[in-house]
Amino acid sequence: MKQNKGTIGIKEYIALVILTVGAKLSDDTPAILFENAKNAGWIAVALIGLLSVLPILFMLKVFSVHREKNLHEIILHLFGKFIGNIVSVLLLFGGVFALIVDSGISTDIISSFYFTKTPPIIVYSILMMVCAYGAKRGFEHIGTAAWLLLPYVKITLFIVLLFSFGGGTFGFIYPLWGEGMLPIIKTVAKDMSIYADFLYIGLVAPLVTSFKVLKKGTIWALAIVTFEICIAMVAFVMLFDYTTAEMLAYPFHETIRYIHIGFLSNVETFFFPFWLVATFIRFSFYLYLSATLLGGILKIKEFEYLIPLLTTIVILLGAAPESPSITLSAARKMNFQLLTPAFFVLPPLMWILAKIRGDFKNETA
Amino acid sequence: MLKEMFQVFKKRKQKPLSMQQQLVGEQTELKEQSISSDLEENFQTLKKLFHIPKNNDVKVRELYIEGLNKKACLLFISTISDVKSIEENILKPLLTNKSGKEIKEIVSIQAVTEIHLFKDAVKNLNQGNTVLLIDGCSQGFAMDCPNFQGRTIEKPNTEILIKGPKEAFIEKVDVNISLVRKKIKDENLVVESIDVGARSKSEVYILYIDDLANDKLVENIKNRLNRLDVNSIQNLSLLEEYIEERSYSLFPSILSTERPDRAATFLEDGYIVLLMDNSPDCLVLPATFWSFFHSPEDHYLRFLYGNFTRALRMAAMFITVFTSAIYIAITAYHSEMIPSELMLAIAASREKVPFPAVVEILMMEFAFELIREAGLRVPSPIGPTIGIVGALILGQAAVQANIISPIVIIVSALSGLSSFAVSDISLNFAVRLIRFVFIICAAFMGMYGMTAFFVAGVYYMVSIKSYGVPYLAPMSPSYKSSSDTMFRRLLRNEKFRPGFLKPSDLQKKQ
């Protein structure tokens, strides 16, 4: 079962990150952003993207001197065993919590939009079982699958955006700054952690073929994802106007219900499988990351065996809340606010510690 | 109870005897003896080994060689050796010779080898060679004159092309090797042979181009063949299962082709080809998904035409796998997707049918598979009848009897017809079987079930390997290669051999 030792190249890496982070445009992330920033949500995303460059660069800098270590090992190295483990455990809680909430929300989307009669627990179980299977196959294979399926997911997304631009009103994006700068900054400060995934990606850093690939891939992926989410937010605003967009829990799914292509008036079932593909890959990756971190903390080398355990926990906790679209959304907002400081503060802190410890002295480049 | 368990455990642990030691009635000891200088004794041993005179076609010819002033004895199996050649080139020179020349200089046979053990004598005789034993001489002579019966080279039967060479492999391995050598005139093309089967010794020929094929891969395959511990393996189709990876998997890991031109192309890319007597095909390994998906005609046709065929084939594959499942998913779970007029039409046609859509589809798909299987086995004079009966009964009559709705016939005919466009038989079976799984998934969970199974399938497909080569390489994980995957490139741009084989020389052309 040593299937996870393979490394992945730049194509697979970018594809994986784009699918994982990019999938956020299709859950309730846009709704959370619209809440404060109103129709300037897309500017908020652009700002978040720009601002995220800082922690990501700090992180990459730290990784450049510890190429064979993953995030957890670096944290242990920099913070020492005790504090390092505490930091990792906190990160693990954040990550697993995000996994539970996000997968719960995806289940809610599937069972409230497409399978209203099927018990959500069955939908949830199938979702997580497929993801567990993917995660068990290993990082290399999740990346490969992501690269193979990326074109189809993105082509369909492109079609959706094209048709929603066609059906939207351009004037809705004005006033450009929404209710002013302050709400935008507030949104940025609160929800910056929509990119916290980049922090967790550090857990698989040694499994990317080279540091160059990691650096280039991360920055490219960040740029593409930011652009993608921005465009999607603009499309949602143009289609619904911000008052409605703010009310909708899952704007993307409302969009694919709203648009029609030629003689086909209901096309959501056409786009649904492609969205699902992205969702499956996203949670496979999250599961894998959580298992890696948990395995690191508990010092379990064969951490693949933790995946079934994690999957069970996720299903049990994720399926527990009543009225998930409200509870989970609130939980998600909370998690965003908790992870934001972690995402923004941890990498610079790591960099400072590395500097103090003199890790950068032996740097070749 | 513990004791019993222990015993079971112990039994398991006992090393099974090797096949060589277990062979009953094989007279292994006799075979290991060396040939003595006494002709009568040697003759008796061979008689025992070959069950003479019970064995009817083993011929013995005793003779007196005047030139050597010695008695001798000639053995051969008349049904598998060239009797005329024996007469002309062995018997006649021996009988008419009066000088004291060496045997090798008397007979006019192209290959004469000296043998010292009965084992070798037996092997040679079984291969259709003639063995000459001479009194007072502690060695025998094996002379090459095999003549096995078989058919002549014919057109390919399963891999039919419009443009391109029209020769196919036949059951004689010499002919097959000759067909390959005709295409690759290169001294580095190595034809190695390995014996498999402890009783019936069949030779498996391993073909590769020495300075191209990866040494480790060749070594790996040789090891696998050497490790086989079975009585006999008749042909490659049987051998395939012994050496393939994941025998339970739906996806094949070794490619079988009956076209020498295809085998030659693979050889030149650094793949390894296995040939064997009694097999009108060859095995190519390692195989990726793309090698099953491709057809040699894609390259023989002009660039655009070839790629058009590939696009058609890919479409056909998706239609085969998904059409029936999508029909079920849409009618049962996502009926809002169909334009209302069409939906009314479907509903109207299904009004009188008592079964759910999935039962209808399964019935039709099963019937189609039946027609297909029966049509294959049916003797050719009544072949057309099957078509008529199938089409009439299963098509029109079933609709009129309100068992099947007309649209289901269209759906299953489309998926059935498309399945024929996947030409490789292994992939064809894989695709047809997967179709049924998708139908069941669609029946349970609609599009969601289908997508879930699809993603799980993709995870499986990207994780499996054939002899260390990822199944979907070089698409992903990517290797340096000519990227001949879904579509091909211009021939002059296909500059590299597939990098996943780790060939010694990657560059094919400048």
Side-chain angles (χ1 to χ4, degrees):
Chain A
M1 283 307 289
K2 284 267 174 197
Q3 280 176 328
N4 62 321
K5 289 294 162 246
T7 55
I8 66 170
I10 187 154
K11 282 193 285 189
E12 284 84 3
Y13 177 66
I14 292 186
L16 188 56
V17 178
I18 290 179
L19 277 189
T20 313
V21 186
K24 295 198 174 181
L25 70 87
S26 62
D27 57 16
D28 63 343
T29 315
I32 293 176
L33 292 169
F34 282 133
E35 198 178 352
N36 277 320
K38 307 294 172 188
N39 63 338
W42 64 278
I43 295 176
V45 174
L47 281 181
I48 290 177
L50 274 179
L51 219 55
S52 301
V53 171
L54 280 177
I56 288 173
L57 280 183
F58 275 122
M59 201 173 80
L60 285 173
K61 189 77 188 160
V62 176
F63 275 112
S64 71
V65 284
H66 298 288
R67 296 192 181 180
E68 64 293 337
K69 284 197 176 100
N70 73 19
L71 182 67
H72 171 66
E73 286 155 355
I74 292 179
I75 288 176
L76 282 189
H77 170 77
L78 293 176
F79 290 88
K81 228 174 185 181
F82 183 69
I83 302 178
N85 267 322
I86 290 176
V87 172
S88 286
V89 168
L90 289 178
L91 276 181
L92 176 71
F93 275 120
V96 174
F97 192 67
L99 170 60
I100 292 169
V101 172
D102 290 6
S103 61
I105 284 173
S106 291
T107 310
D108 184 46
I109 291 172
I110 298 167
S111 50
S112 59
F113 276 80
Y114 304 95
F115 289 87
T116 39
K117 287 180 196 157
T118 317
I121 184 80
I122 291 179
V123 173
Y124 208 161
S125 307
I126 294 178
L127 176 74
M128 289 321 291
M129 255 144 55
V130 172
C131 294
Y133 178 71
K136 194 116 200 308
R137 289 266 135 186
F139 178 59
E140 186 193 2
H141 303 310
I142 304 175
T144 312
W147 168 248
L148 284 174
L149 298 170
L150 177 77
Y152 310 104
V153 176
K154 290 302 148 188
I155 287 171
T156 45
L157 176 70
F158 180 70
I159 295 174
V160 171
L161 293 179
L162 206 66
F163 276 88
S164 42
F165 277 125
T169 315
F170 190 69
F172 284 167
I173 65 164
Y174 295 109
L176 217 52
W177 295 96
E179 293 189 342
M181 286 300 271
L182 200 63
I184 296 180
I185 290 168
K186 212 170 145 193
T187 312
V188 172
K190 259 168 62 185
D191 303 329
M192 200 175 151
S193 56
I194 59 169
Y195 286 152
D197 300 38
F198 283 101
L199 181 65
Y200 286 92
I201 285 167
L203 284 167
V204 287
L207 294 179
V208 180
T209 32
S210 68
F211 176 71
K212 224 172 115 193
V213 166
L214 181 76
K215 193 172 170 184
K216 221 168 126 189
T218 313
I219 289 172
W220 268 107
L222 177 69
I224 296 172
V225 163
T226 309
F227 176 73
E228 195 180 63
I229 300 183
C230 270
I231 295 289
M233 302 272 287
V234 173
F236 298 150
V237 169
M238 276 174 60
L239 201 59
F240 299 114
D241 198 358
Y242 75 95
T243 34
T244 323
E246 197 187 325
M247 298 291 291
L248 298 172
Y250 311 118
F252 177 77
H253 296 271
E254 301 289 354
T255 305
I256 60 178
R257 294 199 135 197
Y258 189 82
I259 57 175
H260 52 89
I261 299 173
F263 65 95
L264 291 170
S265 48
N266 291 304
V267 285
E268 72 267 21
T269 321
F270 173 71
F271 296 114
F272 171 61
F274 297 98
W275 169 77
L276 263 180
V277 164
T279 308
F280 281 124
I281 288 179
R282 177 181 177 197
F283 295 123
S284 304
F285 187 40
Y286 280 5
L287 255 182
Y288 184 84
L289 290 177
S290 309
T292 316
L293 189 49
L294 183 59
I297 292 169
L298 300 178
K299 296 200 181 82
I300 297 172
K301 278 221 175 90
E302 309 262 321
F303 61 85
E304 296 96 336
Y305 295 103
L306 293 171
I307 290 169
L309 174 78
L310 270 174
T311 312
T312 322
I313 294 174
V314 169
I315 294 176
L316 288 178
L317 291 179
E322 303 271 332
S323 60
S325 58
I326 296 163
T327 331
L328 288 178
S329 198
R332 191 145 189 254
K333 270 181 234 165
M334 198 180 76
N335 198 31
F336 270 173
Q337 287 164 21
L338 287 176
L339 273 179
T340 301
F343 176 49
F344 200 70
V345 172
L346 192 59
L349 194 61
M350 279 159 63
W351 181 78
I352 291 167
L353 280 174
K355 196 87 183 166
I356 292 169
R357 294 177 74 105
D359 287 350
F360 294 115
K361 272 182 191 155
N362 318 338
E363 205 176 6
T364 43
Chain B
M1 198 170 137
L2 261 178
K3 212 176 169 187
E4 281 163 8
M5 275 169 71
F6 251 124
Q7 273 174 349
V8 172
F9 189 58
K10 260 185 189 165
K11 262 183 205 162
R12 281 261 177 83
K13 261 183 116 180
Q14 270 176 6
K15 241 187 159 182
L17 284 171
S18 144
M19 211 42 100
Q20 213 76 38
Q21 293 162 318
Q22 284 177 347
L23 292 179
V24 179
E26 264 288 273
Q27 314 183 43
T28 321
E29 282 166 27
L30 269 187
K31 280 190 203 166
E32 291 297 332
Q33 280 178 20
S34 50
I35 296 171
S36 76
S37 54
D38 183 4
L39 179 64
E40 191 55 33
E41 195 188 316
N42 289 340
F43 182 52
Q44 288 307 328
T45 317
L46 275 176
K47 245 180 148 176
K48 222 186 247 169
L49 280 171
F50 274 93
H51 310 279
I52 303 170
K54 257 199 297 187
N55 224 342
N56 204 14
D57 59 348
V58 184
K59 306 286 186 213
V60 183
R61 172 74 158 85
E62 286 171 82
L63 65 158
Y64 175 70
I65 306 174
E66 209 181 319
L68 301 176
N69 193 18
K70 274 174 185 165
K71 279 209 315 193
C73 151
L74 202 61
L75 276 109
F76 57 93
I77 301 176
S78 63
T79 43
I80 55 171
S81 28
D82 187 352
V83 181
K84 216 166 207 170
S85 164
I86 296 174
E87 241 175 65
E88 286 284 317
N89 306 327
I90 303 173
L91 264 180
K92 214 168 170 186
L94 283 175
L95 290 173
T96 51
N97 168 57
K98 298 219 162 58
S99 64
K101 279 195 272 189
E102 287 280 316
I103 291 293
K104 278 185 183 170
E105 274 141 48
I106 302 172
V107 293
S108 49
I109 281 282
Q110 54 165 335
V112 179
T113 42
E114 286 179 17
I115 46 176
H116 299 274
L117 293 173
F118 279 106
K119 195 166 69 173
D120 299 325
V122 170
K123 191 179 166 191
N124 270 297
L125 282 166
N126 280 335
Q127 283 173 345
N129 296 338
T130 301
V131 169
L132 176 70
L133 296 171
I134 302 170
D135 196 22
C137 195
S138 63
Q139 70 207 35
F141 297 92
M143 290 171 276
D144 244 23
C145 55
N147 182 24
F148 287 91
Q149 300 303 316
R151 62 184 172 127
T152 48
I153 299 175
E154 284 165 20
K155 279 189 180 180
N157 282 324
T158 52
E159 291 168 76
I160 301 160
L161 304 187
I162 296 171
K163 199 176 167 194
K166 302 267 187 310
E167 293 167 330
F169 284 131
I170 59 166
E171 284 80 356
K172 278 187 187 171
V173 74
D174 307 350
V175 177
N176 294 351
I177 295 172
S178 143
L179 286 175
V180 173
R181 280 220 188 259
K182 187 166 86 175
K183 281 154 192 90
I184 309 176
K185 298 197 174 74
D186 180 358
E187 69 280 7
N188 289 316
L189 173 61
V190 179
V191 181
E192 271 190 73
S193 82
I194 284 182
D195 279 350
V196 293
R199 273 179 196 270
S200 150
K201 303 228 172 7
S202 335
E203 277 177 331
V204 177
Y205 292 85
I206 307 172
L207 277 73
Y208 57 92
I209 297 185
D210 193 42
D211 50 358
L212 288 186
N214 182 272
D215 294 335
K216 272 188 196 155
L217 191 63
V218 178
E219 213 44 52
N220 175 2
I221 286 155
K222 276 192 215 160
N223 282 339
R224 278 189 199 221
L225 288 172
N226 278 325
R227 274 208 306 268
L228 291 180
D229 199 5
V230 282
N231 266 343
S232 77
I233 296 175
Q234 214 182 63
N235 55 41
L236 283 177
S237 313
L238 300 173
L239 181 74
E240 185 181 343
E241 197 172 305
Y242 283 108
I243 59 170
E244 79 180 337
E245 309 194 13
R246 298 176 306 277
S247 298
Y248 288 111
S249 172
L250 266 180
F251 295 103
S253 61
I254 300 179
L255 174 76
S256 164
T257 172
E258 57 168 355
R259 301 189 63 91
D261 52 318
R262 208 170 174 208
T265 316
F266 276 118
L267 278 172
E268 283 177 330
D269 272 348
Y271 288 82
I272 295 169
V273 166
L274 299 185
L275 282 168
M276 205 172 158
D277 249 324
N278 306 317
S279 315
D281 48 18
C282 69
L283 296 182
V284 179
L285 30 102
T288 62
F289 173 79
W290 307 109
S291 49
F292 296 98
F293 173 68
H294 293 164
S295 146
E297 202 166 22
D298 305 343
H299 275 90
Y300 296 151
L301 288 173
R302 290 187 59 234
F303 174 69
L304 282 177
Y305 312 160
N307 277 334
F308 174 65
T309 324
R310 289 240 176 122
L312 271 185
R313 200 174 304 134
M314 201 33 119
M317 217 162 85
F318 275 92
I319 290 174
T320 311
V321 173
F322 292 119
T323 324
S324 307
I326 287 178
Y327 172 76
I328 293 170
I330 286 180
T331 50
Y333 290 90
H334 315 285
S335 46
E336 77 284 348
M337 198 188 174
I338 330 171
S340 40
E341 295 85 4
L342 182 61
M343 190 157 80
L344 287 177
I346 294 176
S349 75
R350 296 206 57 229
E351 201 176 28
K352 287 179 184 167
V353 179
F355 308 114
V358 59
V359 176
E360 269 183 85
I361 286 274
L362 280 178
M363 274 201 294
M364 261 329 270
E365 294 283 4
F366 184 63
F368 195 92
E369 293 291 321
L370 271 185
I371 297 177
R372 183 185 190 133
E373 182 62 22
L376 200 66
R377 312 284 164 215
V378 81
S380 47
I382 52 168
T385 334
I386 288 283
I388 295 163
V389 170
L392 265 184
I393 294 186
L394 293 165
Q396 209 172 349
V399 170
Q400 279 175 357
N402 289 330
I403 294 176
I404 305 283
S405 60
I407 194 155
V408 167
I409 301 226
I410 302 175
V411 168
S412 65
L414 192 65
S415 87
L417 194 69
S418 301
S419 74
F420 285 103
V422 184
S423 58
D424 184 85
I425 182 143
S426 303
L427 188 63
N428 186 302
F429 267 107
V431 165
R432 277 156 59 200
L433 288 170
I434 290 169
R435 179 180 55 164
F436 283 102
V437 187
F438 270 111
I439 289 175
I440 291 163
C441 286
F444 277 110
M445 288 298 290
M447 285 286 180
Y448 181 53
M450 281 172 68
T451 318
F453 181 67
F454 177 74
V455 173
V458 169
Y459 277 141
Y460 176 71
M461 249 172 111
V462 298
S463 65
I464 60 176
K465 284 184 172 147
S466 159
Y467 297 91
V469 174
Y471 206 52
L472 288 171
M475 187 178 248
S476 182
S478 56
Y479 288 89
K480 197 161 195 175
S481 75
S482 300
S483 354
D484 181 13
T485 51
M486 194 98 87
F487 294 108
R488 80 169 175 91
R489 293 158 79 181
L490 280 179
L491 278 181
R492 64 169 168 273
N493 291 340
E494 296 198 335
K495 284 180 186 163
F496 299 104
R497 297 197 167 80
F500 48 82
L501 296 172
K502 301 185 178 67
S504 322
D505 180 14
L506 194 62
Q507 189 118 7
K508 260 207 285 207
K509 50 192 106 166
Q510 288 304 321

